[in-house]
Amino acid sequence: GENVEQHPSTLSVQEGDSAVIKCTYSDSASNYFPWYKQELGKRPQLIIDIRSNVGEKKDQRIAVTLNKTAKHFSLHITETQPEDSAVYFCAASIVADMRFGAGTRLTVKP
Amino acid sequence: GAVVSQHPSWVICKSGTSVKIECRSLDFQATTMFWYRQFPKQSLMLMATSNEGSKATYEQGVEKDKFLINHASLTLSTLTVTSAHPEDSSFYICSAQTGRMYQPQHFGDGTRLSIL
């Protein structure tokens, strides 16, 4: 089955700096890669996603890149703000079979 | 759009009690629903996947007789924790998906279960 690894497990940045979270997946058939943000005690919320036929996608300060050959994808957050502090999960899926990474706890220091 | 409602949000009960948690997709039809368990500061651990009208598929190590899942309609799935014990205390989250390709899972707010 699919295995998703996520790094780093914790990340601390200064406000205004960029943050990068990386994930690798094992199943080359995976074709959809969402990223979720989970604030303490709340539900995971979708922040951006990318399909396997796209190499990069951007939404304001957030971007995701995908390298299918290497089977890795990354989340980039620019100009970080304190409200970006949360746990971020990557996922890889084939239709309904979605597997999550272990999560990255991002702390943005003001 | 894509709202998932989960109830109750918090349950405290005595050991041996059975607890039912409901997960509803409010504005879309959820062909597939998922139940996760999340320990403090840890990732989402998939417990089971349920498709409307069929038996749930449980992940390895999850007791199907302990965690009963029913997906009776395209908008409702329930998780019943039978004869709950303190070790079952956790944060349980459901999610729902249309079942089509390139679709995310939409999560409920979670249920914090505390067994005394």
Side-chain angles (χ1 to χ4, degrees):
Chain A
E2 176 65 273
N3 181 48
V4 179
E5 294 192 359
Q6 183 172 345
H7 299 280
S9 56
T10 61
L11 179 60
S12 181
V13 300
Q14 208 65 39
E15 183 178 0
D17 288 350
S18 295
V20 180
I21 302 170
K22 298 181 179 182
C23 290
T24 60
Y25 60 100
S26 60
D27 192 340
S28 56
S30 290
N31 59 10
Y32 176 67
F33 307 91
W35 286 87
Y36 289 85
K37 174 184 180 182
Q38 185 180 27
E39 298 179 33
L40 189 63
K42 297 189 176 180
R43 71 176 77 190
Q45 290 193 303
L46 178 73
I47 57 172
I48 196 167
D49 56 10
I50 192 167
R51 301 183 181 187
S52 58
N53 60 348
V54 176
E56 183 174 356
K57 184 177 178 180
K58 190 173 181 179
D59 182 5
Q60 298 183 340
R61 295 186 297 108
I62 295 173
V64 59
T65 59
L66 170 65
N67 183 326
K68 280 199 308 180
T69 303
K71 287 188 283 189
H72 67 69
F73 55 115
S74 300
L75 177 71
H76 304 253
I77 306 174
T78 58
E79 301 173 29
T80 54
Q81 300 166 4
E83 51 266 37
D84 294 329
S85 296
V87 178
Y88 292 80
F89 293 100
C90 64
S93 76
I94 311 167
V95 195
D97 187 5
M98 184 176 291
R99 301 291 159 165
F100 289 84
T104 296
R105 184 170 301 277
L106 173 65
T107 303
V108 180
K109 298 177 183 177
Chain B
V3 177
V4 175
S5 174
Q6 184 174 343
H7 293 282
S9 56
W10 193 289
V11 180
I12 302 175
C13 58
K14 294 180 179 180
S15 184
T17 306
S18 291
V19 178
K20 181 184 279 190
I21 303 170
E22 288 190 352
C23 181
R24 294 180 183 270
S25 59
L26 298 185
D27 53 0
F28 68 101
Q29 292 187 327
T31 303
T32 309
M33 286 186 167
F34 308 83
W35 288 95
Y36 294 86
R37 186 171 178 175
Q38 188 173 36
F39 293 100
K41 297 187 178 182
Q42 292 193 25
S43 187
L44 301 158
M45 187 191 82
L46 180 64
M47 299 174 65
T49 301
S50 73
N51 291 294
E52 183 263 341
S54 61
K55 290 184 179 179
T57 302
Y58 290 81
E59 294 296 300
Q60 192 172 7
V62 178
E63 300 176 58
K64 59 181 67 177
D65 294 330
K66 175 76 171 175
F67 300 99
L68 300 179
I69 290 171
N70 183 272
H71 192 161
S73 75
L74 284 172
T75 59
L76 174 65
S77 177
T78 60
L79 167 68
T80 301
V81 184
T82 61
S83 187
H85 292 287
E87 58 267 27
D88 299 322
S89 297
S90 191
F91 191 56
Y92 294 87
I93 310 179
C94 72
S95 71
Q97 190 188 41
T98 60
R100 296 196 297 269
M101 198 171 287
Y102 308 128
Q103 294 297 309
Q105 291 182 21
H106 302 285
F107 287 86
D109 282 328
T111 298
R112 187 159 303 283
L113 177 62
S114 296
I115 308 298
L116 304 176

